[in-house]
Amino acid sequence: MDIIKSFKVFQLVIEQESFSRAADQLNLVPSAVSRQISELENWLGIRLINRTTRSLHLTGEGSEYLAKMSSILGLVDELKCTRGDLAQLTGKLTLSAPMMLGQFILPNAISAFKNEHANVQVSLSLLNRKVDLVEEGYDLALRVGNLADSNLIARKLGTMSFVTVASPEYLRKHGTPLVPRELHLQNCLINTALSSSGRWEYTVEGNAKKVKVNGDIESNESLALLSLAKAGQGIVFLPELYVQKDLARGALVEILRDYRPAPLPINLLYTSNRLISPLLKTFIDFIIEHFAEINLQPEWIQAKL
């Protein structure tokens, strides 16, 4: 059995969600594709796909093995690349990131990477949750916040600062909180994408302290909350890079500046170095260098919008 060919057939069947469509692309009869999958399952000693007359579904083991096989196929494809041929990299990168990074920073980084490596495909998923890189088939994930212990490799890219802002009109009508505990008297716009959406963290007397907040508007989308804040609907807690332009032109006012929380780390996560392909290594090095160059300065980000 040609194991690499079997991996590719399995991958194509899942991509096409059909034995017959995969067979058409391979110029084979469906029975030959089905036999190839059966031989692969026998070789592994597990069932990869549950088949019915109308549909097919990955088993739990099938999902895990699909991610592993994709990594192996990526390595095989990249073996054709020598160190001097990295500009000719091909393949696909799958990347997960929270909205707050994907809306502002990553499009510029991906665009710059694509300018150097035009034959690479990039799939970016913006998800305000932690993904399982192996189970869900991601090559990389970016996360904002302190990390729990895991078997993943983590590379720190920088930090992200959060600020508390409101429109001048709102503050004229409702007053300006002078200390964090006064926020309970205000209408706060709640970002449900944050893990502690109803509790905002501040630095009080040198210590991190979470303050409970309430409000009559909530959303999982930071740009929507930003627009609502500018419209005078309440106070919002957002990454500084979201609001720098509006602060500069007076559409928003920062409050509680003396109580700003400590910046949160931004980390790039990926699985064991053992399975890193030249494509993945090149992208990791590129992202690390890109973040180092911009240093996440709000002025730089806003200039690119």
Side-chain angles (χ1 to χ4, degrees):
M1 182 177 67
D2 185 336
I3 190 63
I4 297 300
K5 180 180 178 182
S6 296
F7 285 179
K8 290 181 177 179
V9 170
F10 173 53
Q11 189 179 55
L12 186 59
V13 167
I14 300 306
E15 288 177 356
Q16 296 296 317
E17 299 182 339
S18 166
F19 284 94
S20 59
R21 286 195 291 272
D24 287 342
Q25 289 205 16
L26 295 167
N27 199 26
L28 298 171
V29 295
S31 60
V33 172
S34 179
R35 183 170 61 253
Q36 191 90 32
I37 299 301
S38 295
E39 290 177 358
L40 178 60
E41 289 177 326
N42 290 335
W43 183 76
L44 292 169
I46 61 171
R47 178 174 289 278
L48 298 169
I49 300 173
N50 288 321
R51 309 160 175 81
T52 68
T53 56
R54 294 186 177 182
S55 64
L56 57 88
H57 302 281
L58 278 172
T59 64
E61 293 88 350
S63 295
E64 182 178 349
Y65 273 85
L66 177 62
K68 292 179 179 178
M69 290 177 193
S70 296
S71 295
I72 293 170
L73 290 174
L75 285 171
V76 171
D77 289 341
E78 299 305 335
L79 285 175
K80 296 180 293 184
C81 295
T82 65
R83 191 171 185 84
D85 292 332
L86 288 178
Q88 302 303 317
L89 285 173
T90 61
K92 183 176 182 178
L93 290 165
T94 54
L95 173 65
S96 168
M99 288 280 188
M100 63 182 67
L101 292 177
Q103 289 173 324
F104 287 89
I105 301 171
L106 285 177
N108 292 320
I110 291 171
S111 179
F113 184 81
K114 284 286 292 174
N115 287 339
E116 295 183 15
H117 306 285
N119 295 323
V120 174
Q121 293 179 289
V122 180
S123 175
L124 172 62
S125 297
L126 301 183
L127 303 168
N128 289 321
R129 65 174 177 84
K130 294 180 180 179
V131 300
D132 186 311
L133 272 68
V134 175
E135 290 289 336
E136 300 183 56
Y138 287 100
D139 296 312
L140 301 156
L142 276 77
R143 291 181 186 161
V144 178
N146 296 311
L147 297 174
D149 291 337
S150 76
N151 294 322
L152 298 174
I153 308 297
R155 302 287 296 274
K156 186 176 179 180
L157 300 177
T159 59
M160 178 172 286
S161 297
F162 283 74
V163 296
T164 311
V165 298
S167 71
E169 292 77 15
Y170 176 88
L171 296 175
R172 277 196 293 270
K173 289 181 180 179
H174 303 281
T176 301
L178 299 180
V179 293
R181 67 173 179 272
E182 293 180 357
L183 285 171
H184 80 279
L185 301 173
Q186 302 289 335
N187 192 54
C188 295
L189 305 175
I190 308 300
N191 189 347
T192 56
L194 300 178
S195 58
S196 56
S197 57
R199 291 183 179 274
W200 296 352
E201 184 172 296
Y202 293 94
T203 301
V204 180
E205 296 180 353
N207 298 312
K209 182 177 181 180
K210 290 189 176 181
V211 176
K212 186 176 181 180
V213 295
N214 298 287
D216 55 17
I217 301 177
E218 63 180 34
S219 173
N220 67 340
E221 218 294 305
S222 297
L223 290 179
L225 295 173
L226 174 60
S227 296
L228 288 163
K230 290 191 289 185
Q233 294 302 314
I235 297 173
V236 70
F237 186 73
L238 288 173
E240 185 179 10
L241 62 89
Y242 273 69
V243 301
Q244 187 72 14
K245 185 189 301 183
D246 292 309
L247 289 173
R249 67 186 186 190
L252 291 172
V253 176
E254 182 179 0
I255 62 174
L256 303 175
R257 183 179 180 83
D258 292 341
Y259 300 92
R260 271 196 186 192
L264 293 177
I266 301 172
N267 288 289
L268 176 66
L269 304 177
Y270 52 96
T271 54
S272 169
N273 285 313
R274 186 171 58 88
L275 289 177
I276 291 183
S277 67
L279 170 57
L280 186 54
K281 183 180 185 305
T282 301
F283 187 74
I284 290 171
D285 292 342
F286 183 91
I287 288 292
I288 291 172
E289 182 178 352
H290 182 81
F291 271 72
E293 287 178 355
I294 67 174
N295 199 27
L296 284 184
Q297 293 300 314
E299 296 83 358
W300 188 96
I301 301 296
Q302 293 294 336
K304 297 296 182 180
L305 297 182

